[in-house]
Amino acid sequence: MILLDGRKVAEDLRAKLTLDVNEFTKKFNRAPCLKVIIVGDDPASHVYVKSKHVACQKVGMLSEIVNLEASVTQSKLEIEIQKLNIDPDVDGILVQLPVPKHIDLTSVLKAIDPMKDADGLTFLSTGYLWSDFEHVQPCTPSGVIKILEYYGIPIKGKRAVVIGRSQIVGKPMAALLLKKNATVTIAHSHTENLKHVIQESEIVVVAAGKMGFFGAEYFNKSHVVVDVGIHKDENGKLAGDVKFAEVSPIVKAITPVPGGVGPMTIACLLENTIQLAKMRMR
Ligand code: NAD
């Protein structure tokens, strides 16, 4: 079994990004800058945002967290986004998800300038993604492709199934696998005979958001399994959608949780911000 170590891939990517940031800073006399807006006080979201901030600093980028209270109005949030849209020193904007229930996410995504869309989730970025237009790509799916490529896992011509069809993970994951010439199936909560769909596939990207749902009965020795799920178990330990202990011995390759896709998501966010900075300064 090949352990697909996302920490190692992320470390290598960060080393390359550090050089990119250095070069950019020398050329333009300022470092690429990411601003992260966080609404409310959800502890998990604050931990994620802090990690993003620290990761930016480690590669020499500028980063700032904009804290807005949970009761912020839609218009106040969008005014904050507008301020960042027109700030010439800001290259990337990210609104940490989820946002509180009273906030209309569609409207928030429309408010972000697609040329500063560090998460690659605005509707224009999504259109670019499905049109094979060069632009930033959503971070988690982009990280999955980088892990597969790093370990030399063939994608071209292979059958891949993505389990989950969310805007953030499932749909863009399918788009990127298709771009790499896989034959892609998107499975979701209404899919009939999921086991059969998985058995017919070689690459299985699991993003169902169901802790430990996928055990050994779903997989065989020809499967490359990428587990996107992140959960905390009853002991506070991180776990994925796949039962790693029973699945890892029987498959060809698998990502662990933690240490698989998670570290790549943040590294790809940095990469996106640097790419946007370069695009704006061209
Ligand atoms: P989501 O809840 O928005 O989407 C889940 C999808 O899975 C839905 O499309 C649903 O139809 C499908 N699904 C649910 N149960 C299913 C089943 N039994 N069979 C087939 N399909 C099923 O979740 P999301 O935002 O896409 O996130 C998925 C998981 O990935 C979560 O655990 C989340 O925490 C994690 N995540 C991790 C990272 C990372 O950096 N590693 C980033 C984003 C999300």
Side-chain angles (χ1 to χ4, degrees):
M1 181 271 293
I2 306 167
L3 185 73
L4 305 171
D5 181 352
R7 281 199 186 112
K8 188 167 160 32
V9 187
E11 203 178 293
D12 280 19
L13 178 57
R14 279 195 304 271
K16 179 195 161 291
L17 296 178
T18 305
L19 299 177
D20 283 359
V21 169
N22 258 330
E23 196 182 310
F24 181 95
T25 309
K26 271 191 199 135
K27 195 164 169 189
F28 299 106
N29 232 358
R30 67 170 187 88
C33 173
L34 174 71
K35 298 257 179 165
V36 179
I37 298 179
I38 178 163
V39 182
D41 39 27
D42 173 56
S45 292
H46 276 271
V47 169
Y48 287 136
V49 166
K50 182 86 199 301
S51 310
K52 289 168 185 174
H53 180 66
V54 171
C56 282
Q57 291 179 326
K58 280 191 178 157
V59 299
M61 284 170 51
L62 297 170
S63 134
E64 195 188 314
I65 301 168
V66 180
N67 284 287
L68 299 177
E69 55 198 29
S71 61
V72 71
T73 61
Q74 183 85 29
S75 61
K76 170 91 171 70
L77 170 57
E78 291 182 18
I79 287 168
E80 287 301 324
I81 295 171
Q82 284 307 334
K83 278 190 208 159
L84 303 181
N85 282 343
I86 59 172
D87 185 338
D89 292 332
V90 174
D91 300 296
I93 303 168
L94 180 154
V95 176
Q96 181 65 32
L97 302 179
V99 284
K101 285 202 168 54
H102 69 280
I103 297 292
D104 174 10
L105 181 59
T106 303
S107 180
V108 168
L109 290 177
K110 278 185 185 162
I112 299 171
D113 178 352
M115 292 310 290
K116 295 191 176 187
D117 176 17
D119 245 350
L121 293 178
T122 62
F123 302 113
L124 195 70
S125 301
T126 303
Y128 283 157
L129 179 68
W130 286 95
S131 321
D132 290 335
F133 192 91
E134 182 69 18
H135 194 58
V136 292
Q137 298 172 341
C139 304
T140 302
S142 173
V144 170
I145 296 290
K146 284 180 170 40
I147 292 175
L148 295 175
E149 290 186 333
Y150 186 95
Y151 283 94
I153 306 285
I155 303 176
K156 185 171 141 190
K158 300 297 173 191
R159 285 164 303 176
V161 59
V162 180
I163 303 171
R165 59 173 168 185
S166 71
Q167 204 69 26
I168 300 173
V169 185
K171 284 180 188 150
M173 187 70 253
L176 290 185
L177 285 164
L178 192 59
K179 241 185 218 286
K180 296 285 173 187
N181 296 313
T183 301
V184 186
T185 301
I186 305 178
H188 47 79
S189 48
H190 297 276
T191 297
E192 290 179 359
N193 206 348
L194 181 60
K195 244 184 234 173
H196 178 70
V197 175
I198 293 176
Q199 289 302 326
E200 284 197 321
S201 310
E202 286 138 308
I203 298 170
V204 187
V205 181
V206 187
K210 297 255 169 79
M211 183 169 73
F213 187 87
F214 295 90
E217 69 277 15
Y218 283 91
F219 303 103
N220 62 46
K221 64 178 184 330
S222 59
H223 279 134
V224 172
V225 182
V226 178
D227 188 356
V228 179
I230 299 186
H231 314 272
K232 259 196 188 148
D233 70 11
E234 60 281 6
N235 303 316
K237 281 180 67 180
L238 289 180
D241 286 359
V242 177
K243 286 182 182 140
F244 184 82
E246 66 174 61
V247 173
S248 56
I250 63 160
V251 294
K252 192 189 214 173
I254 186 168
T255 57
V257 177
V261 176
M264 286 306 291
T265 298
I266 295 187
C268 290
L269 171 69
L270 308 183
E271 184 182 48
N272 278 356
T273 306
I274 297 164
Q275 187 183 338
L276 291 168
K278 288 181 185 166
M279 283 160 65
R280 287 181 56 243
M281 301 306 282
R282 261 207 293 251

